[in-house]
Amino acid sequence: MTVTANGPLPSGSYDVAVVGAGVVGCAIARELARHPGLRVALVEAQDDVGQGTSKANTAILHTGFDAVPGSLEARLVREGSRQLAAYAAESGIAVEPVGALLVAWDEEQLAALPQLAEKAARNEYFDTRPIDASELHEREPHLGPGALGALHVPGESVICPWTTTLAYATQAVRHGVDLHLNSPVSHVSWREGTHTLTTARGPLRTRHLVNAAGLHADTLDRHLGHHDFTVTPRRGQLIVFDKFARDLLHHILLPVPTALGKGVLVAPTVYGNVLLGPTAEESDDKRATGSTAEGLALLREKGARILPALLDEEVTAVYAGLRAATEQDDYRITAHPEQAYVTVGGIRSTGLTASMAIAAHVTGLLADTGLDLGPARDLEPVRMPNLGDAHPRPHQNARLVAADPEYGTLVCHCERVSRGEIRDALASTVPPRNLDGLSRRTRARAGRCQGFYCGAAVRELMEGAGT
């Protein structure tokens, strides 16, 4: 198992290099790991997997009911949703099948619901059902006044996006993929059948290349002479409300979508919190992940209409993510056989849901570019810590605590995280390299006190492990 974060990169040549260790890049690396004859590298600019768009989305496992019918995205979301649901159950990834309500607030939106149901059917999702205002308010008694009806989409779920990305990366590394962190790619050249990636840790050579660089996929594409699309970052700001707000809603509450996206929603999380967001702000800055007073004020204004009582609850955190929007309302996945190269661009918020299907699709395209995949194998399953609030925590397992008292010693009381869980994370296949990475693996410091009480103890454990 190889995970590197410093020093020069290996001098030999890989069969395939995947640039970008977000949820899609990690899924592709995992899929390639099914072919033991391949030497595969997963190259990431930052010091952990899932550090870009993948860590700052709305964490919804979509049905694809509202995708553009006939698009590549529609097909891959439809396939990926089923695959990821099964993988999550096998791997311990937290999922809650809460369902969604697409809420109409005026007559025009109400009139649009039948077309949305028809669109869902064209996307092979047939379980939508219109409900009237009476049933809507019965289902969601805290909903704001004025809602006229809704479209019920029972198949929508919420999921843990951090554990999903980490599970893919863990499985890939355990089956021979080399994960190289802290390796931003500044240039790519193609010559005599070999790609040479210029990185901050020296060159990396590979016969086949997959560009899963997210917000920077267009830049990498241009290094190889392609001008097929431009990524325009679309910032989405979100507010995370305290767990006490969780009883205010029972479904994901969706607005009727617009051309800019799905709009501001209110959704539960698997961690027991409530999300309000995202905004949809066009930008030209691929680093603009800060929250703004204007953005948060807009969210509070929208939230006051959707779920008025939510604004009386405490805010645990705010964050913002950038989605890789392009000129086309579809994924931009393209094979360039003459360069042994596949671009995986324009993967927006549905990329989490579609990740496993995208990985299979890209692997097929690599074969079309001349990659000899060789024989395939089944991967040994991984079992990840379930971070869901609805799932029993280790400290509640008397047999586990009796065998190892470290699981009975809580360090983070807000999220009920034990010393044993932190120890396990620090010794894992893809360990965290800072406190934020540890939070994504355990939820330590991510609760209502945001590390005020447990921060020093968590830091001591991490420093004691030599991380």
Side-chain angles (χ1 to χ4, degrees), residues 317-354:
V318 298
Y319 67 92
L322 297 176
R323 288 159 279 176
T326 68
E327 309 92 326
Q328 182 176 314
D329 193 18
D330 198 1
Y331 296 162
R332 308 303 294 270
I333 302 177
T334 307
H336 301 280
E338 72 285 356
Q339 292 177 311
Y341 169 58
V342 177
T343 304
V344 188
I347 311 298
R348 297 157 303 171
S349 58
T350 56
L352 170 61
T353 299

Side-chain angles (χ1 to χ4, degrees), residues 128-143:
T128 62
R129 182 175 69 89
I131 61 175
D132 60 20
S134 175
E135 182 179 348
L136 172 59
H137 286 280
E138 183 179 332
R139 284 178 171 272
E140 293 290 353
H142 296 283
L143 196 68

Side-chain angles (χ1 to χ4, degrees), residues 32-39 175 373-377:
L32 290 169
R34 296 181 61 246
H35 303 275
L38 298 178
R39 189 176 184 216
H175 289 84
L373 294 172
R377 61 180 169 179

Side-chain angles (χ1 to χ4, degrees), residues 148-165:
L148 302 180
L151 187 69
H152 184 212
V153 189
E156 298 279 296
S157 302
V158 290
I159 187 171
C160 178
W162 306 328
T163 311
T164 304
T165 305

Side-chain angles (χ1 to χ4, degrees), residues 1-3 20-31 33 42 44 48-50 87 91 93 161-181 379 382 384 428-431 441:
M1 296 187 294
T2 302
V3 180
V23 69
V24 170
C26 289
I28 294 168
R30 173 192 172 275
E31 183 67 20
L42 178 58
E44 168 56 38
D48 200 0
V49 299
Y87 182 76
S91 305
I93 299 166
W162 306 328
T163 311
T164 304
T165 305
L166 187 61
Y168 293 158
T170 298
Q171 212 167 17
V173 169
R174 287 182 182 174
H175 289 84
V177 172
D178 291 348
L179 170 60
H180 299 303
L181 303 169
L379 300 178
V382 292
M384 308 300 292
S428 63
T429 302
V430 185
R441 287 160 174 79

